[in-house]
Amino acid sequence: MGGTRFPMAVLRKCARPMLSSVFITGGLSTLRAPARVAPAAEPVAVPVASRVPRLTEDPENLVRINGAVQVGAGLLLATGRVPRFAALALAGSLVPTTLAGHAWWKEKDPERRAQQRTQFLKNVSLLGGLLIASADTHGKPSAAYRARGAVSTGRKQWNHARHDASHAVHNATDAVRAWPATVQHSALAGRH
């Protein structure tokens, strides 16, 4: 039964802090010095922020928010608290970070272009790991699977109840149809 559960539990406990460490350190760095990354983030962050009601369009505040999400979600993932949600939050923060910070296709210098492409692909790899972590149910069935099972069980129970009710109605109908003959037979039996 639990042959793979123990090793997977240990793997999760080790892998989550490893995966989240880059977000925690990067987020702290951004929170300490947002002006360092705000200019690079502006072309991506401001257009995204303009589509979200009540979200600031100030690049420094946007990178602070992103840094705070990375620290908070990174700590949640590292400690195993709401890890699926934390992984999704980190994935969401990683997309604008990657597009703003590692736009290798804009680089003219071949060496700089290669470095940025490597960083871009590293972030794409991290995104893949986060998506896997966001789908990890600890070996338990997902909510969607359990919901489908509940619907299936409900359908079976409904069909059984409908079948039983049909039989009960059929038996009652037969009893009602037979009742006049039974009453008549009883009345005749009482005369003798």
Side-chain angles (χ1 to χ4, degrees):
M1 172 185 147
T4 60
R5 282 200 180 145
F6 177 74
M8 287 303 293
V10 172
L11 182 65
R12 281 185 193 94
K13 288 213 184 287
C14 294
R16 284 180 181 151
M18 286 185 227
L19 181 58
S20 63
S21 64
V22 71
F23 296 100
I24 296 167
T25 58
L28 286 171
S29 175
T30 298
L31 287 172
R32 287 186 187 124
R36 182 181 53 81
V37 294
E42 187 172 358
V44 173
V46 173
V48 169
S50 69
R51 291 179 172 88
V52 179
R54 297 195 297 197
L55 185 61
T56 182
E57 291 185 26
D58 175 47
E60 280 196 33
N61 283 334
L62 290 170
V63 297
R64 277 189 189 106
I65 292 167
N66 194 55
V69 167
Q70 289 184 341
V71 170
L75 289 170
L76 288 172
L77 181 62
T79 58
R81 306 274 193 275
V82 290
R84 296 175 72 193
F85 171 78
L88 278 176
L90 290 171
S93 77
L94 185 59
V95 172
T97 300
T98 301
L99 293 174
H102 303 296
W104 60 270
W105 54 91
K106 292 180 180 179
E107 295 292 337
K108 302 291 182 225
D109 177 43
E111 189 174 317
R112 182 88 175 122
R113 185 180 180 100
Q115 289 172 347
Q116 287 299 328
R117 185 174 35 239
T118 298
Q119 292 303 312
F120 180 88
L121 292 173
K122 175 197 59 109
N123 282 9
V124 169
S125 298
L126 283 171
L127 181 60
L130 290 168
L131 293 176
I132 289 170
S134 73
D136 180 19
T137 61
H138 304 267
K140 299 173 193 159
S142 68
Y145 178 84
R146 291 191 308 257
R148 285 191 302 271
V151 167
S152 176
T153 300
R155 278 192 190 123
K156 288 176 185 173
Q157 290 175 345
W158 167 254
N159 287 335
H160 285 298
R162 194 177 73 199
H163 179 74
D164 292 347
S166 175
H167 278 291
V169 168
H170 182 71
N171 291 340
T173 303
D174 288 348
V176 168
R177 285 185 184 142
W179 184 71
T182 305
V183 170
Q184 191 176 30
H185 179 68
S186 295
L188 288 175
R191 285 190 193 164
H192 295 273

